[in-house]
Amino acid sequence: MRLLALILAALSLLSPITPALAQSGAFPICSYGKRTQCVVDGDTFWRGGQKYRLKDIDAPEIAGGANCQQEYQTGVAATYMLQRLLESGIVSMTAFGRDRYGRTLVKVETRMGDVGSALMDARLARSYGHGRAPWC
């Protein structure tokens, strides 16, 4: 029995799913005030009091940065999709440094798959490439 417990403990160290990540909990849409765990828009979210931005994708703006109604509506849809993906349970987050605004750039894998790919497949985000491009 003790050997089985040791083997299970060793295997859990190899698994990409950790209980803290898999039990992410709710990700409400961010409101004003202190932000701890919420979704800002289609490519930015808070978790554990830290602000994260999805690496290599660009989702339309919703807060003041939208240049037309289509951009705003697509941005809202991207925001709600990111919320659903994160609430499905984060399996892994890989950090790639910080952007110019101090946000940690991450690739996120949830129980539903790679978040950036899912948003791009749904045409709610696109490859960031060499910077932002207009959505209108």
Side-chain angles (χ1 to χ4, degrees):
M1 191 63 106
R2 181 159 161 74
L3 179 59
L4 178 60
L6 288 172
I7 291 170
L8 291 174
L11 287 174
S12 72
L13 295 175
L14 300 174
S15 173
I17 302 173
T18 62
L21 286 175
Q23 297 174 3
S24 302
F27 279 86
I29 303 303
C30 294
S31 60
Y32 295 100
K34 185 175 181 179
R35 296 175 174 184
T36 305
Q37 182 159 301
C38 59
V39 176
V40 176
D41 58 24
D43 55 26
T44 307
F45 65 97
W46 286 80
R47 181 169 184 270
Q50 281 196 264
K51 194 172 188 180
Y52 295 95
R53 184 175 193 300
L54 297 174
K55 184 179 181 335
D56 295 333
I57 73 160
D58 179 40
E61 296 300 316
I62 56 173
N67 294 310
C68 64
Q69 189 64 24
Q70 177 185 337
E71 179 177 5
Y72 176 78
Q73 289 172 344
T74 306
V76 168
T79 301
Y80 282 103
M81 183 170 182
L82 177 58
Q83 179 186 37
R84 277 193 323 273
L85 290 166
L86 294 174
E87 287 183 346
S88 76
I90 297 171
V91 173
S92 69
M93 287 177 49
T94 305
F96 293 88
R98 296 189 181 272
D99 69 3
R100 66 181 181 207
Y101 302 107
R103 300 173 293 190
T104 302
L105 295 168
V106 292
K107 291 271 189 181
V108 178
E109 187 81 22
T110 70
R111 291 184 174 137
M112 295 174 73
D114 178 76
V115 172
S117 295
L119 287 162
M120 288 194 296
D121 289 348
R123 297 186 179 192
L124 297 175
R126 59 184 170 211
S127 177
Y128 190 73
H130 297 289
R132 298 190 55 110
W135 283 88
C136 302

